[in-house]
Amino acid sequence: MITEIEEFKQLIKDTYPETIDVQDEILAIPFESFALTLGFARGDTENVIFRAKVVELSALERAKEFAKDALKGNFFWSGTNGATLSIGADDAVYITERRLIAAFPNSEVLKQAVEEFVKTVSDWMIRSQLYA
């Protein structure tokens, strides 16, 4: 079982060789239309934070309606598969999820979690286009 941040970071890099070191304690896995960032909060050695930008609100004609839809998606995580939608300081919608590092014993489990998260991000990106 992986319990150390450095071990987990190495697992990410081994599983996704295209991973980029963005800054201290933040990695990014580039995908076709977005980057999945994986971060580690200072002092929190047990969790990893998955985060991706869904859409910039300025790109949407009906941003208010989309924000309301995102809020509904957060209700008991019904539309986010356990993640949370939020609006960042840059007026973009982000999806974020915190997971225990210990939940990733190997690359197969990591791949499954990343695929699930990517699917959720992609779903919300598609939904956002309904409000463009």
Side-chain angles (χ1 to χ4, degrees):
M1 174 180 0
I2 293 177
T3 58
E4 297 292 324
I5 289 175
E6 290 306 316
E7 285 179 276
F8 185 66
K9 286 169 71 174
Q10 191 59 53
L11 176 65
I12 293 167
K13 291 176 181 181
D14 290 346
T15 306
Y16 295 96
E18 66 278 14
T19 298
I20 302 163
D21 282 296
V22 177
Q23 64 184 33
D24 188 36
E25 304 302 329
I26 298 177
L27 303 172
I29 303 171
F31 288 93
E32 189 173 314
S33 56
F34 68 94
L36 166 58
T37 58
L38 297 120
F40 308 92
R42 284 180 174 49
D44 183 355
T45 60
E46 296 180 3
N47 293 287
V48 60
I49 300 167
F50 286 46
R51 185 171 169 97
K53 183 188 286 190
V54 174
V55 67
E56 293 185 25
L57 289 174
S58 62
L60 304 177
E61 285 185 24
R62 299 181 311 139
K64 184 176 179 180
E65 289 89 349
F66 179 72
K68 286 180 181 178
D69 195 28
L71 184 60
K72 289 177 189 173
N74 279 339
F75 187 67
F76 290 115
W77 304 278
S78 62
T80 59
N81 295 322
T84 302
L85 291 157
S86 62
I87 298 174
D90 59 353
D91 279 340
V93 175
Y94 290 86
I95 189 160
T96 307
E97 184 174 6
R98 182 182 302 251
R99 292 189 180 215
L100 289 170
I101 291 173
F104 300 100
N106 56 50
S107 63
E108 289 306 313
V109 175
L110 176 62
K111 282 181 186 178
Q112 182 179 3
V114 167
E115 287 172 10
E116 289 170 3
F117 192 81
V118 166
K119 183 178 177 193
T120 302
V121 173
S122 296
D123 178 52
W124 280 96
M125 291 175 106
I126 292 166
R127 287 184 194 198
S128 75
Q129 295 309 304
L130 300 173
Y131 299 87

